[in-house]
Amino acid sequence: MSESSTSSRESGQSRTCFCGLTSNQFTATTPMNGGCRLFKCPRPEDIACRYWEWRDEELSAHVSMFIHTQKISLNVIRKERNNLKKTLDEFLGSNASDLKKVTCLEKKVSNLDSNLKRWKNFCCCHGHFLFVL
């Protein structure tokens, strides 16, 4: 599939290409035909029968350009999202040992808190006040 179209399959509307196969439906994303749907041979470009047929009437130039511009914006947002994911993965990877250390320290603090509570209970229950808290 080329960069200038996107593919989908819809029931109800189908065409048969010159190979005898059910054609795929694409949506053009070029500036001149953005948003227009077409039928096309489902085989890869190098062995396709070159069948294609417009499904829709021609859109106005303004609408086609708007669709094309939105596709470009969407691609920019996807790239930015992927870059942020990569940065986050690198950050988490480089700090993984620090995160493990923090988790280990948190467990130790929790254990110390538990021991302290037991000592308080022990001292209070036996009437011994060894220290003032």
Side-chain angles (χ1 to χ4, degrees), residues 7-10 13-26 38-43 49 51-53:
S7 174
S8 70
R9 287 226 177 221
E10 281 187 20
Q13 292 265 347
S14 65
R15 302 284 192 280
T16 303
C17 72
F18 302 129
C19 301
L21 303 172
T22 301
S23 61
N24 287 340
Q25 178 178 293
F26 292 86
L38 60 119
F39 295 103
K40 187 175 166 187
C41 178
R43 291 186 173 175
C49 66
Y51 167 82
W52 71 272
E53 178 184 351

Side-chain angles (χ1 to χ4, degrees), residues 42-60:
R43 291 186 173 175
E45 295 283 331
D46 57 337
I47 61 170
C49 66
R50 306 290 185 220
Y51 167 82
W52 71 272
E53 178 184 351
W54 288 114
R55 176 178 173 182
D56 297 323
E57 297 294 320
E58 187 176 347
L59 298 174
S60 70

Side-chain angles (χ1 to χ4, degrees), residues 71-83:
K71 181 182 184 288
I72 291 171
S73 297
L74 180 60
N75 287 340
V76 168
I77 291 168
R78 284 181 178 147
K79 284 180 183 177
E80 183 178 353
R81 179 202 59 199
N82 292 341
N83 287 337

Side-chain angles (χ1 to χ4, degrees), residues 92-120:
L92 292 176
S94 67
N95 293 319
S97 62
D98 292 341
L99 292 173
K100 288 179 183 178
K101 289 177 186 175
V102 168
T103 302
C104 182
L105 289 173
E106 287 174 339
K107 287 180 183 178
K108 287 181 180 180
V109 168
S110 177
N111 288 338
L112 289 172
D113 284 341
S114 297
N115 288 340
L116 181 60
K117 287 178 185 177
R118 277 186 280 203
W119 273 105
K120 284 182 187 178

